[in-house]
Amino acid sequence: MATTVDALTSKFQALTRLVGNTPLISIHFRYRGDHRVIYAKSEYLNFTGSIKDRMALRILQNAYAEGRIAAGHTIAEATSGNTGISFAAIGRIFGHPVKIFMPDWMSQERVQLIHSYGAEIVSVSRRDGGFVGCIQMCEDFAASRADVFLPRQFSNPANCEAHEQTTGPEIWSQLWSVGKKPLAFVAGVGTGGTVMGVGKFLRQRDPAVRIHPVEPAESPTLTTGCKVGNHRIQGISDEFIPEIVQLKELDEVIAVCDGDAILMAKKLASDLGLAVGISSGCNFLAAVITQEKIGPDAAVVTVFPDDNKKNLSTALMHVEPCRPDYLSAEIELLGLSTIGRACEFCG
Ligand SMILES: Cc1ncc(COP(=O)(O)O)c(C=O)c1O
């Protein structure tokens, strides 16, 4: 049955209320003798539990508006997990079959969640090409059929647009509501949609805002331009620099050790009840490093992309040794407060 315009509009309306507009959390902590605050968007509160819902929704909205997707088309994407979960869920709402090409080292929870939405997974080993292989297989699949829609999250400008038009404005108005302006924004780079889109919006408001991409110290793809080493921060640093990432428009790359990110994520859960994923621990540490450079009172903002539930079978639940150079050991978490959803301040 053809999808009517009214049915489409009401589905998009319903989803718009379930995606984005997340509270901003103020995390209070003591570091090197100072009482400090870092701000983080609670992106695990999105529809399927991650920041990727923003991008998936925007890409589908644009594709429908431009007539690039039709009823019955299969949505096919290469992803390390959260994007697959978003498209699997949102695709089902619109009645699309969904096929996900995913590296075989991603957590079992990610695989099971994608299956639970009825999507198909093609699992790709390192020997068969790893992440880059996933992208090629996805393109080959689309080339073999006429009824496939490719979101192409690594090159689609709608990915950045989602964050430029939602996450960025939300951060600005939430901080404004408490009389503050962001001095810096930091985010781990998977596709780079978050850092590029939020960065573009914040720089339009204030060209002096620092925008720092973040990568694992063990696998410095942004710094070296190629895949080096391995790391344990699922969702970021996928073996290549994505097309939408324009490093020359950003400030310097911040490196965080994956073990430190794991310890920080554990600490956010055990000390504050913020049960976040490893990339959130990584982003928090990158925010502290940035604040250390620009001043202890600087309003530095980041995102908590997902929660720990997709990481229960990963290193996040194992004992992680603390190295002397890790920052997480020096951070004493004191408490949190929240700045309400951005829509609460709009007319
Ligand atoms: C857990 C997690 N953190 C961070 C990111 C990076 O976000 P972006 O793709 O916008 O760079 C992703 C992306 O999939 C993710 O899944």
Side-chain angles (χ1 to χ4, degrees), residues 50-52 80-83 110 153 159 163 188-195 234-236 279-280 283 305-306:
S50 91
I51 195 165
K52 305 308 287 196
S80 55
N82 278 327
T83 297
R110 284 169 162 77
Q153 58 166 340
N159 181 355
H163 296 287
V189 171
T191 62
T194 307
V195 79
Q234 294 194 12
I236 70 168
S279 73
S280 303
N283 282 353
D306 68 0

Side-chain angles (χ1 to χ4, degrees), residues 30 57 66 110 125 131 141 159 184 186 210 217 232-233 249 252 268 271 290 297-298 302 318-319 323:
R30 202 182 322 277
L57 180 58
E66 292 158 14
R110 284 169 162 77
S125 66
F131 208 93
F141 170 67
N159 181 355
V186 306
R210 289 168 180 245
R232 297 173 291 169
I233 311 176
E249 294 172 15
E252 77 263 18
L268 285 161
D271 295 7
T290 304
D297 297 325
T302 189
H318 303 156
V319 174
R323 285 190 349 213

Side-chain angles (χ1 to χ4, degrees), residues 3 21 33 42 73 89 107 109-110 120-121 123-124 127-128 147 165 178 225 238 255 262 290 331:
T3 318
N21 254 316
S42 48
H73 280 188
S107 75
E109 295 87 329
R110 284 169 162 77
E120 187 191 337
I121 297 181
S123 186
V124 181
R127 219 186 50 194
D128 288 338
D147 60 347
Q165 292 181 9
V178 292
D238 288 321
I262 289 169
T290 304
I331 292 168

Side-chain angles (χ1 to χ4, degrees), residues 138-158:
C138 189
E139 291 287 333
D140 292 346
F141 170 67
S144 71
R145 288 171 42 167
D147 60 347
V148 176
F149 170 68
L150 293 181
R152 292 196 175 106
Q153 58 166 340
F154 293 97
S155 56
N156 193 332

